[in-house]
Amino acid sequence: MAAEIANPRSDSTNGSAGSAGDAEGNAEGVADGEPFDPAFALHRGGKMAIEATVPVRNKDDLSLAYTPGVAKVCSAIAENPELVHEYTWKSQVVAVVTDGSAVLGLGDIGPEASLPVMEGKAILFKQFGGVDAVPIALDCREVDEIVETVARFAPSFGGVNLEDISAPRCFEIERKLQERVDIPIFHDDQHGTAVVTLAALRNAAKLADRSLGQLRAVISGAGAAGVAIARILVEAGIGDVAVCDRKGIVSADREDLTDVKRELAGFTNKAGLTGPMEAALDGADVFIGVSGGTVPEQSVAKMAPGCFIFAMANPTPEIHPDIAHKYAAVVATGRSDYPNQINNVLAFPGIFAGALQVRASRITEGMKLAAAEALAAVVADELSAEKVIPSPFDDRVAPAVTAAVAAAARAEGVARR
């Protein structure tokens, strides 16, 4: 399968992206007389295409690629199911699965409207990790219905990347699916964000000659990303971390916690902080924003000297970089137009490439930690306040993450080759 950034189709059915004069050629998502929008031109006809990897030029090719030759391969796989990895695309293809319930900053827009994002994810898999991916948008919402659906088509894929599924359902869907199938299930909104955040924080701490164990962090947002970041920071040895939702600090004394937040309270906030987020920020070393909203400057000013601010909401960071730079030694955002972009594309292509390389049955916490360490190491000798994480276009990233994840899978006993 080939992922095409530019649509290869320009026939009369789809129209040419740059055409003008006819009604369809002008219908790039704007009304007549409005400015041309290149985003619609790029997406016309979709961003992907399927491409054969073997030729079918004559009857001999046809007899090998299809009947009767294919029957020999099918029979061999039926006798030895492990051969499916050798003689089909399974070991190199990921399903990118969504229900369209929590898309980017768009929210619940449904399966059809989510497809452009899923196609985009698939071409990032290909471009940055060499991994083929197929976008699949599901018209169902119940946890068990999604689990059943994905489990039914899982035999066609080497892994499943869950994408843009709302919390708290995403936690249960990932857990139940991983119990059901023996291929990696990875919810990127959680774990991709967490891996890249940890890598950037490792390097920020190194730049300041500090250890993770000396840091107290505050996470704004107790959804998918916030929970996963808290978990990986604790696994990595953070000194302490408090997670905040709309009602304030997630603490064990609160009676309004969901099951996920109750579990979160059990392994975070060792200091026993309570009250609004502003109370947690007083003296904090690290702010990590994955929630949106705005943090008042007077609260930022109360953070510890030389703090780190990772305000990752898009398009508007929780703390604007101009304000963050007044108080922080290192500033990161989720945007590409500022230094230190926390971008999941730094993680998920290499993580899946490494898992597929060794036919891992799952992606473990150790594999995620290894990915973060490898990602941080890419720029370890080039550190500055404006470079604690590599660029997504740094061609050292995917190979480093792939190798580290494959090695960790072998070390943890989940590799099958």
Side-chain angles (χ1 to χ4, degrees):
M1 187 186 74
E4 302 290 349
I5 292 178
N7 175 25
R9 298 181 293 280
S10 58
D11 56 38
S12 58
T13 301
N14 287 313
S16 172
S19 65
D22 64 337
E24 186 172 356
N26 286 331
E28 301 290 0
V30 295
D32 287 342
E34 290 186 6
F36 172 78
D37 189 333
F40 284 92
L42 182 93
H43 284 77
R44 180 175 287 279
K47 301 191 289 286
M48 300 176 61
I50 298 296
E51 181 179 87
T53 60
V54 297
V56 183
R57 298 161 300 195
N58 51 49
K59 67 178 183 178
D60 292 333
D61 290 345
L62 181 60
S63 69
L64 288 173
Y66 199 51
T67 185
V70 72
K72 298 178 183 178
V73 181
C74 292
S75 297
I77 295 171
E79 291 179 11
N80 180 7
E82 282 299 303
L83 292 178
V84 70
H85 299 283
E86 187 73 20
Y87 294 110
T88 73
W89 76 348
K90 178 181 174 76
S91 64
Q92 60 194 32
V93 180
V94 170
V96 180
V97 178
T98 190
D99 64 356
S101 60
V103 178
L104 292 172
L106 303 176
D108 186 351
I109 59 175
E112 287 90 350
S114 74
L115 267 176
V117 179
M118 300 310 113
E119 288 183 2
K121 195 80 172 193
I123 67 173
L124 296 182
F125 264 109
K126 184 67 173 181
Q127 179 164 333
F128 291 101
V131 173
D132 288 316
V134 177
I136 300 174
L138 302 180
D139 187 16
C140 55
R141 292 295 175 90
E142 294 296 325
V143 167
D144 289 339
E145 194 175 7
I146 291 175
V147 170
E148 184 68 22
T149 302
V150 177
R152 294 287 187 181
F153 66 65
S156 295
F157 298 95
V160 174
N161 184 91
L162 299 175
E163 188 76 18
D164 293 346
I165 298 174
S166 64
R169 294 177 309 124
C170 59
F171 303 112
E172 189 175 5
I173 289 168
E174 182 184 43
R175 177 181 60 80
K176 286 188 171 184
L177 259 178
Q178 191 62 84
E179 291 171 354
R180 181 83 177 267
V181 302
D182 67 345
I183 59 175
I185 307 295
F186 186 83
H187 184 217
D188 185 53
D189 300 325
Q190 292 184 63
H191 311 301
T193 307
V195 165
V196 182
T197 301
L198 174 58
L201 187 56
R202 280 192 181 281
N203 278 342
K206 181 178 180 180
L207 189 63
D209 197 24
R210 304 179 71 183
S211 69
L212 289 178
Q214 295 174 306
L215 304 177
R216 179 171 71 82
V218 176
I219 299 174
S220 175
V227 171
I229 292 169
R231 191 179 299 279
I232 203 169
L233 292 184
V234 170
E235 290 280 344
I238 193 81
D240 198 7
V241 55
V243 183
C244 304
D245 62 12
R246 291 183 179 87
K247 296 182 180 180
I249 301 167
V250 175
S251 56
D253 65 318
R254 280 178 47 181
E255 297 180 356
D256 61 342
L257 299 180
T258 63
D259 290 343
V260 171
K261 291 180 183 178
R262 193 172 298 110
E263 180 186 1
L264 182 64
F267 66 84
T268 61
N269 194 18
K270 292 186 293 188
L273 301 174
T274 60
M277 183 174 66
E278 287 72 16
L281 283 175
D282 194 356
D285 303 292
V286 183
F287 171 83
I288 297 170
V290 284
S291 65
T294 301
V295 179
E297 182 172 352
Q298 57 265 35
S299 298
V300 180
K302 293 181 180 179
M303 293 182 68
C307 61
F308 311 136
I309 293 177
F310 294 3
M312 300 187 288
N314 263 318
T316 306
E318 296 89 346
I319 303 170
H320 192 278
D322 291 345
I323 294 174
H325 279 295
K326 293 182 183 180
Y327 307 98
V330 175
V331 175
T333 72
R335 292 174 49 148
S336 61
D337 53 348
Y338 289 102
N340 297 326
Q341 183 191 19
I342 307 297
N343 191 327
N344 289 17
V345 77
L346 290 164
F348 68 80
I351 288 174
F352 268 100
L356 294 176
Q357 185 180 97
V358 298
R359 295 181 191 164
S361 58
R362 63 186 58 239
I363 294 171
T364 65
E365 290 301 313
M367 292 161 73
K368 297 169 202 170
L369 289 170
E373 291 169 6
L375 182 55
V378 169
V379 292
D381 296 330
E382 308 162 22
L383 292 183
S384 70
E386 295 193 341
K387 193 173 186 179
V388 296
I389 199 74
S391 160
F393 297 98
D394 189 324
D395 59 11
R396 299 170 296 176
V397 169
V401 174
T402 298
V405 168
R410 290 191 178 102
E412 298 204 345
V414 296
R416 289 176 286 198
R417 74 170 182 186

